[in-house]
């Protein structure tokens, strides 16, 4: 597997992965806590540090599950 590429976020000095992981379709409606943790761990191990979420995804369940996985 090729190493993750990163890009600078403007002039902040922060580097974000060129790939992000989004919770829109799957978290809360199709996947539970254990699956979310496994997916996020795999993504992080692959170098992902850019996560997409919003309070409207799965009526807020996606944020809750992602927060629990980060915890």
């Amino acid at each position: 597997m090729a190493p993750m590429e990163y890009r600078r976020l403007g002039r902040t000095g922060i580097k974000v992965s060129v790939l992000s992981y989004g919770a829109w379709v799957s978290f809360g409606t199709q996947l539970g806590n254990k699956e979310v943790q496994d997916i996020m761990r795999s993504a992080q191990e692959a170098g992902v540090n850019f996560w997409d979420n919003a309070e409207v995804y799965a009526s807020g369940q996606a944020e809750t599950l992602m927060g629990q996985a980060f915890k």
Side-chain angles (χ1 to χ4, degrees), residues 20-42:
S20 68
Y21 189 86
W24 175 51
V25 175
S26 54
F27 288 15
T29 56
Q30 298 176 13
L31 302 173
N33 200 331
K34 173 71 171 112
E35 294 87 4
V36 168
Q37 288 179 6
D38 291 344
I39 290 167
M40 288 183 62
R41 181 178 301 111
S42 293

Side-chain angles (χ1 to χ4, degrees), residues 11-24:
R11 296 180 183 169
T12 65
I14 297 171
K15 290 184 178 181
V16 294
S17 52
V18 296
L19 298 177
S20 68
Y21 189 86
W24 175 51

